[in-house]
């Protein structure tokens, strides 16, 4: 990767991120590159990187939102922000969740609802589920609690409708407790039914 | 300047059309540091962002920095009175 392939807005976003991290009390290097998946800002790994990543990657996502608001790249490709190997680990975790949910859906012959996710992660789940025979996906709930259900295919090859509880957002962390809730992938007790 | 105020100012300045009209007032309630932000009327939408995404991102970043210092912060946004 040569410097000439780095679009100017990505370079500006890199400088902005370095300054932002410094204002947060982190003196960390950030590299800018254009990968197969698009423009990327990568924060070097750090013992305190959990704080920079945030619960479910929320802080990385916040950097991403602001970087793309302030330094839009002309061809419309969105800048991604990563720290250490967080995104790769997240992708692997997502793949594991999808595999487990697909196996469970086939065994119980009913839809299994994953935890609520952003649109980008839901898209990854829809894609990952295609690798599992005999199941399909549907989305339930309303943003920000919208979630993907992995459901066995019926005789027509369509995912069976989901009749379980609607997904609920995890409790907003007040005091930095762990993610809690053993059953959170199953969705908590939900109110009414969803319109699908 | 308070470090969280400095961080918030750093984040807000490039976002708005009128950086000289950004004001941050500090307050305390119990253990929570309150940052009251005032921006030019035309900049309010920018700071809030589509479906509140920008203000949510600002809150998340300041919260992450504050967590490290063991501090709780809240950010409120107000439109400047012309």
């Amino acid at each position: 990767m040569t410097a000439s392939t780095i679009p100017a807005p990505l370079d500006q976003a890199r400088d902005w991120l370095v300054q932002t991290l410094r204002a947060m009390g982190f003196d960390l290097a950030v590299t800018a590159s254009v990968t197969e998946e698009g423009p990327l800002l990568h924060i070097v790994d750090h013992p305190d990187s959990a704080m920079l990543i945030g619960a479910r990657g929320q802080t990385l996502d916040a950097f991403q939102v602001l970087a793309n608001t302030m330094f839009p790249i002309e061809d419309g490709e969105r800048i991604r922000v990563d720290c250490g190997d967080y995104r790769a680990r997240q992708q692997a975790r997502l793949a594991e969740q999808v595999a487990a949910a697909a196996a469970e859906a086939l065994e119980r012959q009913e839809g299994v609802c994953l935890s609520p996710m952003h649109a980008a992660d839901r898209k990854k789940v829809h894609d990952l589920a295609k690798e599992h025979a005999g199941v399909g996906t549907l989305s339930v709930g309303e943003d920000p609690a919208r979630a993907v259900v992995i459901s066995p295919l019926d005789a027509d090859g369509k995912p069976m409708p989901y009749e379980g509880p609607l997904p609920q957002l995890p409790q907003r962390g007040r005091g930095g407790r762990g993610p809690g809730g053993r059953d959170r992938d199953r969705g908590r007790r939900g109110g009414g039914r969803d319109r699908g | 300047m308070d470090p969280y105020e400095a961080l918030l100012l750093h984040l807000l300045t490039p976002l708005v059309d009128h950086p000289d009209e950004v004001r941050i007032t500090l307050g305390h309630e119990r253990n929570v540091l309150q940052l009251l932000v005032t921006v030019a009327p035309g900049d309010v939408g920018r700071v809030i962002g589509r479906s509140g995404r920008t203000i949510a991102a600002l809150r998340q970043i300041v919260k992450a920095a504050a967590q490290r210092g063991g501090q709780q912060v809240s950010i409120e946004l107000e439109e400047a009175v012309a």
Side-chain angles (χ1 to χ4, degrees), chain A:
Chain A
M1 200 70 50
T2 61
S4 62
T5 63
I6 305 296
L10 184 60
D11 205 38
Q12 290 159 6
R14 191 195 72 87
D15 290 346
W16 168 82
L17 185 54
V18 168
Q19 287 160 19
T20 301
L21 293 171
R22 199 166 294 155
M24 294 173 77
F26 293 94
D27 204 1
L28 291 178
V30 177
T31 57
S33 61
V34 179
T35 72
E36 277 179 11
E37 292 169 83
L40 173 72
L41 293 177
H42 185 263
I43 306 168
V44 73
D45 209 356
H46 180 269
D48 281 344
S49 56
M51 274 178 186
L52 286 179
I53 293 166
R56 299 180 305 284
Q58 279 174 323
T59 311
L60 289 182
D61 290 345
F63 292 136
Q64 242 171 233
V65 167
L66 294 186
N68 283 293
T69 303
M70 289 189 266
F71 310 101
I73 295 180
E74 272 176 22
D75 60 13
E77 279 210 279
R78 287 182 60 79
I79 299 171
R80 289 166 307 126
V81 179
D82 198 359
C83 178
D85 59 354
Y86 177 74
R87 300 286 187 198
R89 280 189 286 125
Q90 189 191 30
Q91 176 76 17
R93 254 196 317 268
L94 217 49
E96 273 173 33
Q97 278 178 36
V98 169
E104 191 178 336
L106 287 174
E107 189 186 313
R108 301 206 328 235
Q109 279 302 299
E110 63 181 21
V112 174
C113 186
L114 298 176
S115 36
M117 292 172 193
H118 294 156
D121 281 346
R122 293 200 306 269
K123 165 113 179 36
K124 286 183 201 156
V125 170
H126 290 298
D127 290 342
L128 285 164
K130 286 178 191 150
E131 293 169 22
H132 298 275
V135 296
T137 52
L138 28 111
S139 295
V140 296
E142 301 292 331
D143 265 327
R146 198 157 168 79
V148 180
V149 169
I150 304 204
S151 200
L153 297 178
D154 63 17
D156 298 328
K158 292 202 175 118
M160 286 164 51
Y162 176 68
E163 288 167 3
L166 283 184
Q168 303 269 303
L169 279 187
Q171 291 286 323
R172 290 194 99 192
R174 227 65 205 107
R177 252 353 87 96
R182 305 137 260 146
D183 245 3
R184 68 200 178 97
D185 282 358
R186 207 59 45 76
R188 302 237 170 88
R189 296 194 310 122
R193 296 282 315 283
D194 180 58
R195 39 202 128 104

Side-chain angles (χ1 to χ4, degrees), chain A residues 65-72, chain B residues 11-19 22 37 39-58 77-79:
Chain A
V65 167
L66 294 186
N68 283 293
T69 303
M70 289 189 266
F71 310 101
Chain B
L11 295 171
L12 285 168
T13 305
L15 272 176
V16 295
D17 282 338
H18 303 282
V22 175
V37 179
V39 298
D43 281 332
V44 173
R46 286 223 130 102
V47 174
I48 294 172
R50 189 160 48 89
S51 336
R53 278 163 61 103
T54 307
I55 185 87
L58 295 171
L77 178 65
E78 265 189 8
E79 190 173 321

Side-chain angles (χ1 to χ4, degrees), chain B residues 31-42:
Chain B
N31 293 325
V32 183
L33 172 67
Q34 296 174 318
L35 301 171
L36 181 67
V37 179
T38 329
V39 298

